[in-house]
Amino acid sequence: MDKKKKETKIEIPPKLPTIKKLEEGVYHAGDKILYDTPPDTEWNCCCISGDKDLCVFLFKCGISSAVLGFCMIMLMNNSKDGFYISTISLILGGVMGSNTTTKEIDTSKKS
């Protein structure tokens, strides 16, 4: 006569990550960042509403345009100061030389 052995299954609960408090309302749990309230996804700035990056970009463009215009006006008024020329070249070099869309390329070979 065969006796069947009863198998008992023991379920092991998954290991929960430790949660660290970074600042008020922001917590870090392993590879995720948790918020008490969701982060701002829409900014209302003057007469536009958009995300944070759009508002910062428009503000930087406005300031750069104002400084560029001021320097050009001062150069048209026959001001021979090198400050205005160097400021124009600094602004144009910063705008033309910035590469905001960088892509990380994984050069390591996977075997």
Side-chain angles (χ1 to χ4, degrees), residues 57-71:
F57 174 75
L58 292 176
F59 181 74
K60 285 182 181 180
C61 284
I63 296 297
S64 296
S65 299
V67 171
L68 192 63
F70 173 74
C71 290

Side-chain angles (χ1 to χ4, degrees), residues 4 14 19 21 28-30 34 43 52 56 70 78 80-81 83 89 92 100 102 104:
K4 292 185 178 179
I19 297 176
K21 185 175 183 178
H28 186 264
L34 308 170
W43 278 28
K52 176 186 173 186
V56 169
F70 173 74
N78 292 330
K80 299 296 181 190
D81 193 7
F83 172 76
S89 65
L92 293 178
T100 58
T102 59
E104 291 184 23

